[in-house]
Amino acid sequence: MLERIAFPDIEKTLIDFLKLNFLAVSDPVQVVARVPDPRPARMVRVIRNDRKARSDVEDREGRRGAHLILDRPRVVFECTDDAGGAAELAVKVRSIVNSVAPGYIGTVWCDYVDDAGEENDTDPVTAAPRYTIVTDLIVRGTVLA
């Protein structure tokens, strides 16, 4: 019988992790999965987006390899700050996320973080300053009984 593997909700895991890190340094930033109405002036939006192309052999050839307990989410962080601090906020988010591996993100073990880059990406609808960070993670799932 094949093992059944449950993978973590990486968006919720990262949101909770970032909230704790910002709270620890008394930085009042909202970390969300969906933009609330009204939109906060200072916010980090966490989005899993596995549709963005990768350049490794596993993705080119459609193979996942022998390590089926591993999940490889691509995560996008949208950092906005109407007061002009979006770039500074992106630097903080990037440093927090890049420092976790190998180690735990909350209760989830993260083997590897691959920082795919940062982009100045002004919001086309609101013209709010926004920086986008793309990060690939390798996290472990849990074997279900």
Side-chain angles (χ1 to χ4, degrees), residues 6 12 20 43 50 63 80 90 132 143:
K12 181 176 180 348
L20 282 174
M43 155 185 89
D50 291 333
R63 294 183 286 134
T80 60
T132 302
V143 177

Side-chain angles (χ1 to χ4, degrees), residues 97 100-105 108-113 136-140:
V97 174
V100 299
Y104 284 96
I105 303 172
V108 175
W109 180 259
C110 181
D111 284 306
Y112 187 72
V113 174
D136 295 332
L137 306 173
I138 297 178
V139 296
R140 294 193 176 265

Side-chain angles (χ1 to χ4, degrees), residues 57-59 61-70 72:
V57 70
E58 286 185 355
D59 289 301
E61 297 179 8
R63 294 183 286 134
R64 284 195 57 207
H67 306 292
L68 296 179
I69 198 163
L70 300 178
R72 299 174 51 242

Side-chain angles (χ1 to χ4, degrees), residues 27-75:
D27 191 341
V29 60
Q30 288 194 29
V31 185
V32 299
R34 293 182 184 211
V35 179
D37 188 18
R39 184 181 70 77
R42 183 170 159 86
M43 155 185 89
V44 176
R45 181 176 174 213
V46 180
I47 311 147
R48 180 173 180 156
N49 185 350
D50 291 333
R51 293 177 294 162
K52 287 189 177 257
R54 297 178 204 216
S55 60
D56 58 19
V57 70
E58 286 185 355
D59 289 301
R60 277 196 314 270
E61 297 179 8
R63 294 183 286 134
R64 284 195 57 207
H67 306 292
L68 296 179
I69 198 163
L70 300 178
D71 189 18
R72 299 174 51 242
R74 172 159 276 190
V75 182

